[in-house]
Amino acid sequence: MTAACLRRRRIVGAGLLAACSRLPARAQSAAPGTDRGSPPPAPGTPLAVPDITLFDGRKFTQAEADGHVLVLYWWASWCPFCAVQTPQMEKLWLAQRGRGLRFVGISIDRKAEDATGYLAKRGYTFPAGLVTPDFARALPKPKGLPITVVRGRDGRVLMGEAGQLFPEDVEQIAGFL
């Protein structure tokens, strides 16, 4: 990431942090067991992907990820940062799925209805499911939101970011394909 991008992130992040501190307590709390406080995995780290049941009833498994670039995207319907980043993630999914990109949106909403309503209202089509206690134990969510982790074809992390990505950061993910 360039120095200019890091500077811009710090400036925007400070303003968004101030805005987020005024959110109701309910909006700031994640589903139990989803916020462990650790940073996202570092590039080069092997990353196993636990099974997750998607909102459409399908199950996404490690076998579907193997040999492909996979984006794991933790988000919530109440997260203002996610509201800004998610349209870019949808755009990435639509543009790159034909090139073999795998994508799983992992909602940390407390109720599936909140997440599915949010996706439907905005017309988002990327594969998504609700974090479960089993999923959270196998792959704890790093501290922050949104969280974007890109896993390479070899099963190792290519990118792990906590916080909102800028559109150009999301576009760079396509370069991993």
Side-chain angles (χ1 to χ4, degrees):
M1 190 172 304
T2 67
C5 186
L6 288 172
R7 259 193 320 278
R8 190 175 49 210
R9 268 194 173 177
R10 275 190 231 113
I11 292 166
V12 171
L16 290 173
L17 181 61
C20 193
S21 68
R22 293 186 293 271
L23 289 173
R26 182 187 82 61
Q28 293 182 39
S29 66
T34 61
D35 214 4
R36 301 282 188 234
S38 61
T45 305
L47 184 68
V49 180
D51 293 354
I52 185 168
T53 300
L54 303 175
F55 291 128
D56 65 7
R58 292 183 301 120
K59 186 170 272 197
F60 186 89
T61 66
Q62 172 88 31
E64 289 183 69
D66 288 344
H68 297 276
V69 173
L70 168 68
V71 174
L72 296 170
Y73 175 59
W74 281 265
W75 62 279
S77 64
W78 45 260
C79 170
F81 310 107
C82 302
V84 175
Q85 181 174 323
T86 303
Q88 295 299 316
M89 301 306 279
E90 173 73 5
K91 183 178 173 183
L92 173 72
W93 164 245
L94 292 174
Q96 302 303 327
R97 64 184 175 180
R99 293 183 58 205
L101 179 70
R102 300 296 192 259
F103 189 105
V104 177
I106 306 160
S107 171
I108 67 163
D109 283 291
R110 291 183 182 270
K111 296 186 287 185
E113 303 81 41
D114 293 340
T116 56
Y118 180 87
L119 293 170
K121 181 178 179 182
R122 288 159 182 80
Y124 296 140
T125 62
F126 56 79
L130 192 67
V131 69
T132 62
D134 287 341
F135 186 93
R137 274 190 294 281
L139 185 58
K141 183 187 90 50
K143 187 165 182 65
L145 202 62
I147 300 294
T148 307
V149 175
V150 181
R151 180 182 180 266
R153 288 179 181 88
D154 63 356
R156 295 183 179 277
V157 173
L158 298 171
M159 177 182 125
E161 293 288 334
Q164 180 187 331
L165 298 178
F166 289 101
E168 58 269 24
D169 300 325
V170 175
E171 289 170 10
Q172 287 180 345
I173 295 171
F176 294 127
L177 292 170

